[in-house]
Amino acid sequence: MCGVMGMYSGGTDVFPDVINGLFQMQHRGQDACGIALADGKRIRLHRGLGYVRDVFRNRPAPEFSGHIACGHVRYPTQGSNRLDNAQPHLVTTLSGPMLALGSNGDLTNYWEIRRFLEAEGIDFWGTNDGELLLKYIAFHHIRKGLPLLDAIRRMQADVKGAYSACLIARDKLYAIRDPYAIRPLAIGAGGGNWVVASETNALDICHVDLVDEVAPGEVVEFSRDGMRRLPHPDVQSLRANGRTTPAHCVFEHVYFSRPDSIVFGERSYDVRKRFGAWLAEHDDVQGDVVVPVPDSSNAVALGYAQASALPFEFGLVRNHYIGRTFISPGQAGRDDGVKLKFNPLRSVFKNKRVILVDDSIVRGTTSRKLVRMVRGAGAKEVHLRIGSPITQYSCYYGVDTPTREELIGSRLSTEMIRHHLTADSLMYMSLEGLRECVGGGANFCMACFDGNYPIPITEAKAWEGDDGRAVG
Ligand code: SF4
C-alpha cells in the first residue's frame, strides 16, 4: 500500500501543498517518498528513504518548483527498502525528462511485461510496479510513436493488477485507474487548483473540495484548459471472470485509510462505526467497558460502545512516534514494537470485563501480546472483538500481507485462535456482516477474507525478484 498524489495549478508553485498532502497520507507508507515537479518545460525529481518530514525538511533546491506535481509515499516491503524502488519514476530522453509517474497498487503480470520490455532493450532500476507502468507507457508513446492516450490505453489492456497512478507528461497531469478501481483515487478542485490523491484528507489540506473519484479504467487529464475526463470506452473488456462491477479494496475501510477520509464514496469513520455496531448487535457476552486498540479500531469500538450502551475508554495509550506495527518491516520489529507502542491504563482495566476491539488479526502476534497486556493490567476477562472477518488469504493487489502459512486465520479455527491468544472469547465479523456494512459488497474486493480474487492470480512469478517479490 502506498499513497499517491497529483496536483495541477493555474501557475503557482505547488511544492508546499504537495508536501502537506503527502504528510497527510504518511500512514500509507513510511519507507520512502518523492515528488516530481514540472513547470511546463522540464520535470525535476527528488526522492529519499524515510518520512516526508525528513526527506523534504527543506526545498531540495531553489529551482525545485513548478505548477504540476506528482507525489508519492511508499509502503515498506521487506528487503526492498532501496531508493531505486522509491516513486515517482522518471523517463528521460535526449531532450530531457519527459514523463514522471507514481502509483499505488501491485501488478499481477509484472514479470511477463518486464521480460517483454527487457527483450526490447529497456533496463530497470528496481522491481517497482510504478517503474514498469511508466516504462510500458513510455515504450509505446516514445519508442513506438503512439499518442500518449493510446499508450496509456495499451498499458491498461496489457498490464494486469491494481494501479491508481498520477502521470506528468509535458505540461499536463494525468490520473489513471485500473479497471477494477481497487485502490482509491479522489479528485478535488478549488481556487484554480486540481488535486488527485489516494485519500481525501490530502484534498482537505490543499483547500480543494472533493469532486469525484477517478472512475474504473478512466484517464483524467488536467491542463490549463481544466479537467478533461476520458472514460474507458469498454472497461468491461479489461476485466476478467465476467465481472461487471469495480472491486474496491474493502481493507481500506477496515484498516488502511484514515477515518477522516472519504473512500469509495463513504467516510471510513462512518463505515467503521457500522462494523462496531454490527459486532455489538450480534454479541451476547457481558462486558463492563469497551476499549479500542488505537488508532484504526477507535471508530469500530465507538460503534460497538454506542450500540451496546457500554462505556467507551481509551485504555491503551499509543506511542505515536513509532510506525504502525502492521507495516513495520520484519518480524523482530513487530515483536519489539508492541510494548513500545502501547501502554495500558490500569485504572480502566482493573477488575473489568473488557471488550477489546481490534480491526483485524493477521499473524496473531500483536493480538496475543495485547490480550496479555490487558490482563496484566488487571482485567477480569478479555473478550476480543474483530471489526473484520477472518483474514485467511494473501493480497496480491498492493498490500504486503504475509503468506497464507503466516496468516493465523488460514491455519487455525476460531476456537484455536482464541486459545492461542489467551482471550476469554473471540468474535469476528462475519463475511455477511462485512457485506451488509458496505452496501452489499458487490463493488468490493474481499479476497483476503473469502479468497475470491477479482483478478486471477495465475502467475507465481508476480512474486519473484531480487528481493523476493515485485514491489508497489
Ligand atoms: Fe484489499 Fe484484501 Fe482485496 Fe487485497 S485481497 S485488495 S487487502 S480486500
Side-chain angles (χ1 to χ4, degrees):
M1 184 189 58
C2 301
V4 69
M5 178 178 174
M7 187 160 183
Y8 189 99
S9 97
T12 53
D13 174 33
V14 297
F15 177 71
D17 281 322
V18 177
I19 293 294
N20 287 338
L22 292 182
F23 188 60
Q24 289 296 90
M25 296 194 293
Q26 188 76 80
H27 59 286
R28 297 186 70 87
Q30 302 159 4
D31 189 20
C33 57
I35 297 175
L37 272 176
D39 57 10
K41 295 191 187 74
R42 59 171 298 173
I43 306 173
R44 295 179 174 88
L45 175 69
H46 184 77
R47 300 179 300 177
L49 298 178
Y51 289 88
V52 175
R53 64 168 185 240
D54 298 324
V55 174
F56 291 100
R57 188 175 296 276
N58 300 302
R59 194 181 284 266
E63 65 277 13
F64 193 77
S65 68
H67 66 283
I68 313 167
C70 169
H72 194 272
V73 286
R74 188 168 170 276
Y75 173 85
T77 42
Q78 197 167 345
S80 61
N81 191 10
R82 296 162 35 188
L83 191 57
D84 283 338
N85 282 327
Q87 302 194 49
H89 296 287
L90 204 59
V91 161
T92 301
T93 64
L94 288 176
S95 54
M98 273 199 71
L99 303 170
L101 180 143
S103 176
N104 173 205
D106 250 339
L107 307 177
T108 54
N109 64 343
Y110 175 90
W111 290 100
E112 176 193 326
I113 299 291
R114 176 161 168 165
R115 277 196 296 272
F116 165 80
L117 289 172
E118 285 177 332
E120 294 288 344
I122 292 170
D123 294 329
F124 281 78
W125 306 300
T127 53
N128 180 260
D129 292 329
E131 183 187 359
L132 187 94
L133 290 175
L134 176 62
K135 289 187 171 172
Y136 200 68
I137 293 169
F139 172 77
H140 288 287
H141 177 48
I142 300 171
R143 174 95 66 92
K144 295 292 183 184
L146 286 184
L148 181 65
L149 180 61
D150 291 353
I152 295 171
R153 292 302 190 205
R154 184 69 193 264
M155 180 279 288
Q156 290 182 305
D158 295 345
V159 176
K160 308 298 178 200
Y163 52 85
S164 283
C166 292
L167 170 74
I168 299 175
R170 299 178 191 86
D171 58 349
K172 290 177 181 161
L173 173 73
Y174 295 84
I176 308 165
R177 208 166 175 201
D178 69 72
Y180 302 86
I182 289 182
R183 301 276 144 234
L185 195 58
I187 307 170
N193 295 326
W194 295 97
V195 178
V196 286
S198 300
E199 290 197 31
T200 59
N201 59 9
L203 309 186
D204 298 340
I205 196 75
C206 293
H207 307 289
V208 298
D209 297 321
L210 176 64
V211 172
D212 201 355
E213 284 184 32
V214 178
E218 188 180 28
V219 177
V220 185
E221 179 189 88
F222 303 92
S223 69
R224 69 164 74 97
D225 299 325
M227 175 170 71
R228 190 162 71 111
R229 301 193 68 158
L230 303 158
H232 194 283
D234 184 12
V235 68
Q236 186 54 42
S237 67
L238 302 179
R239 295 184 183 140
N241 299 338
R243 188 176 177 113
T244 56
T245 58
H248 304 315
C249 170
V250 79
F251 229 96
E252 292 279 350
H253 280 315
V254 170
Y255 175 80
F256 300 131
S257 296
R258 252 177 47 167
D260 50 330
S261 287
I262 299 170
V263 176
F264 312 133
E266 280 219 82
R267 204 173 290 283
S268 278
Y269 179 80
D270 299 330
V271 177
R272 287 177 191 168
K273 278 184 70 179
R274 285 207 295 275
F275 292 169
W278 188 96
L279 284 168
E281 284 156 13
H282 292 79
D283 205 352
D284 55 10
V285 81
Q286 298 298 311
D288 299 314
V289 63
V290 182
V291 174
V293 177
D295 288 324
S296 47
S297 311
N298 290 351
V300 186
L302 184 60
Y304 188 110
Q306 289 177 346
S308 61
L310 286 173
F312 172 94
E313 296 278 3
F314 282 108
L316 292 168
V317 178
R318 182 182 158 186
N319 183 334
H320 287 90
Y321 297 93
I322 61 170
R324 298 171 99 181
T325 307
F326 182 65
I327 60 175
S328 298
Q331 186 68 36
R334 246 183 318 274
D335 289 346
D336 296 340
V338 177
K339 275 189 186 158
L340 282 172
K341 192 168 179 177
F342 300 108
N343 202 26
L345 276 168
R346 290 180 176 274
S347 56
V348 168
F349 294 121
K350 197 157 190 298
N351 291 327
K352 299 273 177 51
R353 295 170 298 178
V354 177
I355 308 289
L356 184 65
V357 181
D358 207 348
D359 54 78
S360 56
I361 300 177
V362 180
R363 295 173 180 82
T365 317
T366 303
S367 308
R368 184 176 156 94
K369 287 174 185 290
L370 284 171
V371 169
R372 290 183 165 196
M373 183 180 281
V374 168
R375 210 184 289 285
K380 202 159 62 180
E381 295 171 14
V382 185
H383 301 280
L384 190 57
R385 297 296 176 263
I386 306 300
S388 63
I390 304 170
T391 305
Q392 296 190 65
Y393 301 89
S394 297
C395 177
Y396 298 88
Y397 311 139
V399 177
D400 187 29
T401 44
T403 60
R404 275 206 82 186
E405 295 70 48
E406 291 176 276
L407 291 170
I408 193 168
S410 76
R411 292 185 284 110
L412 304 181
S413 68
T414 303
E415 172 52 22
M416 288 162 83
I417 297 170
R418 181 207 65 74
H419 185 261
H420 173 75
L421 302 181
T422 69
D424 291 285
S425 73
L426 169 64
M427 178 187 170
Y428 289 90
M429 270 187 100
S430 69
L431 267 166
E432 293 68 34
L434 180 63
R435 290 193 189 105
E436 209 178 286
C437 290
V438 294
N443 289 340
F444 283 87
C445 171
M446 299 185 177
C448 45
F449 304 120
D450 64 9
N452 185 11
Y453 291 99
I455 308 170
I457 309 302
T458 53
E459 296 186 281
K461 57 180 176 277
W463 306 99
E464 293 170 3
D466 57 355
D467 48 25
R469 57 176 293 182
V471 293

